Structures are given as C-alpha cells and as structure tokens.
Amino acid sequence: MSKYLLHNIVISFVLLLVLIIQVAESETIRKAPELDKTHTTINLRSSYSKLDRSQVYSMSNIAIREKHDKGFVGYSTINHSYEKESINGEIVVIDNATGLMWHQSGSDEYMDLVNAKQWIEKLNNKGYAGHNDWRLQTVEEAASLLESNIKNDGLKIDTVFSHKQEWIWTGDECEEFGHGFAWAVYFGTGVICSPSCSLFYARPVRLIIHNTQKFEQLYTEVSSISLRSSYN
C-alpha cells in the first residue's frame, strides 16, 4: 500500500471519528426526543420557493373548501401525532407524522417578514431547545397545522399549540405579487393566502433528523473531503 493511499485513509478515518463524536456530544447536550418510529413520516417540502396560486392549489395533503383570488380555504388531511416536550426548559411540539419540531407558541407580537426572520435568527443564536436550525416554515408545513374544525379558542389548530398566533408567516414568496410578498396562513378560518397586510406572527419549525440520517450525511461529507484530498 502506497504512503499516498495510506495518508488518505488515515485522514478519512480521523475526520469521520471527529464528526461522530460531534454528533454524539450534541445529542447528549440537547437531549432531543426521537421520533416515534411506529408512524410513517410524511415528507413535506422544507426549502423555500416562489409559488403562484396554481402551485399552492395543487399542494398534497390538503383538502380545499373554497378557492379565491389570493389563495384558498382548506385544511390538512394528515393524521397528526403531536407530543409536547420540554427541552432545556423550553417548550416544543414534535409531530411524529411529519418529522417536524415546532416552536410551541411562536412570537408574542405581530411583525413584518424581515423582523420575523431576525427574531428567528436570535432564537438560533440562543440555541432554543438546544438547536440552532430554526426557520420559517414553507406553506406546505404551515398548512399542515390547519384542522378541519375549530379546536383551540376559536382557531383551527390543535390545542397542543398556543392559540395566540392566529396568522403566521411562511418563507415562500407569492409569484403573482412579487418580491416581499410571502404566503401566510390564518387559523381563524383556514385561509392560505398572500394578503396585503404585512404584519403576522412567526412560528418557527425545524426538521428532526434521525441519527442514521446524520451518519449518512457525515459519510457523504467525509467521502467528499477524501476525494478532494486525492486531487491535491
């Protein structure tokens, strides 16, 4: 075995070991709950996009009651399995059906989109519930919270969540109205739209990643580093 090949093997092994230790230490500190593996996870889009009405109308796992010029009225058809958890004294909601972890309450005040993103950035800097990957949800993720009937003090959202945030921002822009206009969800009537009003609440979300997925990501990262080093 050449010294060159041996060098690459040693580098790959050391990097993999370091990354595994980092994951193990982070999980110990966070003490985050695992998803209930008895449920089949429904994968919802988690990356932001610019959507027109036809694209929003065609979202999966949604029943539409009425369409209108800025969106529609509807509700989620997902059979949720919510669990309220306290992590480091901070409250989150785990949805075993979608693999999402939600900020249980959200912001205490209305804010514009820029301030909503800044508020979430502060949560990440703080490491809310031991995590720093909180974000605004996509319209699919936000719509998944809509119940078919009023359940929570006049709102169509499960009682596991705070009932204060009747309107919430999403991170998806509206194609018809241009830059700065994002889709929003109103839990009072089940409306999904891009309204003219610019002040809503923020309810952050993050995707829960299984340890197996983390190790797959680590393996891909280490393989990429090893491959790059072979060309140096």
Side-chain angles (χ1 to χ4, degrees):
M1 181 181 295
S2 68
K3 292 182 179 179
Y4 180 75
L5 179 58
L6 180 61
H7 175 73
N8 284 339
I9 293 175
V10 171
I11 289 177
S12 299
F13 177 77
V14 171
L15 288 173
L16 180 60
L17 182 61
V18 169
L19 291 171
I20 290 173
I21 292 173
Q22 288 178 344
V23 170
E25 289 179 343
S26 66
E27 289 304 308
T28 300
I29 293 172
R30 292 172 182 174
K31 296 181 180 179
E34 289 286 331
L35 288 174
D36 183 350
K37 295 180 181 179
T38 62
H39 290 80
T40 301
T41 303
I42 297 172
N43 296 317
L44 301 175
R45 179 176 56 86
S46 59
S47 58
Y48 300 146
S49 185
K50 185 178 289 186
L51 306 174
D52 59 29
R53 279 175 293 175
S54 64
Q55 290 172 302
V56 174
Y57 291 156
S58 64
M59 288 192 307
S60 59
N61 306 301
I62 292 292
I64 298 178
R65 283 180 166 149
E66 178 186 357
K67 295 181 180 179
H68 53 78
D69 59 349
K70 288 188 177 182
F72 67 86
V73 178
Y75 58 91
S76 173
T77 58
I78 296 174
N79 185 21
H80 293 283
S81 175
Y82 294 125
E83 295 179 41
K84 185 187 290 187
E85 300 282 351
S86 177
I87 303 176
N88 301 333
E90 294 168 318
I91 308 301
V92 299
V93 175
I94 309 296
D95 184 2
N96 290 292
T98 60
L100 296 174
M101 177 186 290
W102 293 91
H103 193 291
Q104 190 271 337
S105 58
S107 62
D108 290 328
E109 299 178 355
Y110 282 115
M111 54 186 69
D112 61 29
L113 187 58
V114 172
N115 284 326
K117 292 178 178 178
Q118 291 175 347
W119 181 77
I120 294 176
E121 184 178 355
K122 291 179 180 178
L123 282 184
N124 286 326
N125 292 336
K126 175 186 175 184
Y128 184 85
H131 297 281
N132 57 9
D133 56 352
W134 296 97
R135 57 178 171 79
L136 285 175
Q137 63 280 342
T138 62
V139 66
E140 280 99 331
E141 292 169 331
S144 75
L145 300 180
L146 282 170
E147 297 287 340
S148 58
N149 299 300
I150 292 175
K151 287 190 173 183
N152 191 351
D153 198 21
L155 300 184
K156 295 182 176 181
I157 189 171
D158 194 274
T159 55
V160 74
F161 294 99
S162 167
H163 59 77
K164 182 175 183 178
Q165 295 75 21
E166 71 267 30
W167 278 98
I168 61 170
W169 284 111
T170 79
D172 289 328
E173 290 188 17
C174 180
E175 180 73 36
E176 284 92 347
F177 298 106
H179 179 70
F181 285 86
W183 289 94
V185 173
Y186 176 51
F187 293 97
T189 57
V191 169
I192 299 170
C193 65
S194 182
S196 57
C197 177
S198 60
L199 296 174
F200 303 115
Y201 292 100
R203 171 169 278 129
V205 71
R206 60 177 298 275
L207 181 64
I208 299 175
I209 302 178
H210 284 295
N211 287 333
T212 53
Q213 292 175 288
K214 291 180 182 179
F215 285 121
E216 288 173 359
Q217 292 176 352
L218 293 180
Y219 178 79
T220 301
E221 184 175 346
V222 169
S223 299
S224 176
I225 293 172
S226 178
L227 182 61
R228 290 198 302 269
S229 67
S230 67
Y231 288 99
N232 295 332

